[in-house]
Amino acid sequence: MAQVKSAIRELIEEAYLVVPEHEKLHTHPTFTCYNLLLQAPDDMLTVVSTCLRACYEANIPPSVGAAPGKSLFQKAYEIYCRKKEDSGSKLSGQDQEHANETKTSQEEKLKSIQSWQETNELLRQMILLLFSKAEEHLTKPK
């Protein structure tokens, strides 16, 4: 499991390298989101991994709404998809059999989209929680 978390951190770092330059400024929310994710507990990285997998399976990019880091997750998704296509293996460590399955039935497609919606909402809430906790930490009296 630690290997998966390391792979997700590496993916986030790789994605950060290709976000627009103005988003790398220390005052931009994407910069803050990036740094918070690198320091986030492994459980939170599991949310990122699960969301990217659900996005890949639904063939829909992540949507974190108004939460910070939208372009960071878009780039992470693009890199995730490219790596999946290049290697044929999942970053999340899922069975190769499952990775090779094709979603042909309407029911399976609907299930993928529902999973995408649920994991994207969870990701959005996680990002907002990270920012909230960081703000609490910074404003806490000493």
Side-chain angles (χ1 to χ4, degrees), residues 96-104 108:
Q96 190 60 38
E97 264 180 48
H98 181 67
N100 292 331
E101 287 179 0
T102 56
K103 302 226 181 271
T104 54
E108 288 174 322

Side-chain angles (χ1 to χ4, degrees), residues 37 44-45 47-48 122-130:
L37 284 169
M44 289 189 166
L45 293 178
V47 172
V48 176
L122 187 58
L123 180 63
R124 186 189 71 77
Q125 290 176 6
M126 183 202 73
I127 293 166
L128 295 176
L129 176 65
L130 278 173

Side-chain angles (χ1 to χ4, degrees), residues 16-137:
Y16 182 73
L17 293 174
V18 294
V19 297
E21 286 301 315
H22 74 277
E23 293 187 24
K24 295 179 185 177
L25 297 174
H26 290 77
T27 55
H28 200 281
T30 296
F31 173 83
T32 306
C33 184
Y34 164 72
N35 283 290
L36 290 173
L37 284 169
L38 291 183
Q39 298 172 39
D42 287 351
D43 289 348
M44 289 189 166
L45 293 178
T46 300
V47 172
V48 176
S49 175
T50 303
C51 182
L52 289 174
R53 187 181 74 241
C55 291
Y56 179 80
E57 290 175 353
N59 198 28
I60 305 171
S63 172
V64 292
K70 186 174 186 174
S71 65
L72 180 65
F73 288 106
Q74 177 66 41
K75 298 297 183 187
Y77 170 73
E78 291 169 8
I79 293 166
Y80 182 90
C81 290
R82 187 182 70 237
K83 287 183 177 188
K84 293 277 294 146
E85 291 164 5
D86 290 348
S87 69
S89 64
K90 289 193 177 291
L91 292 174
S92 65
Q94 295 294 316
D95 293 334
Q96 190 60 38
E97 264 180 48
H98 181 67
N100 292 331
E101 287 179 0
T102 56
K103 302 226 181 271
T104 54
S105 77
Q106 188 67 16
E107 185 178 312
E108 288 174 322
K109 289 178 185 178
L110 289 173
K111 196 173 182 181
S112 290
I113 291 171
Q114 181 180 8
S115 178
W116 174 87
Q117 289 173 324
E118 291 169 356
T119 59
N120 275 272
E121 177 58 21
L122 187 58
L123 180 63
R124 186 189 71 77
Q125 290 176 6
M126 183 202 73
I127 293 166
L128 295 176
L129 176 65
L130 278 173
F131 272 78
S132 174
K133 291 297 180 183
E135 184 179 22
E136 284 177 19
H137 178 73

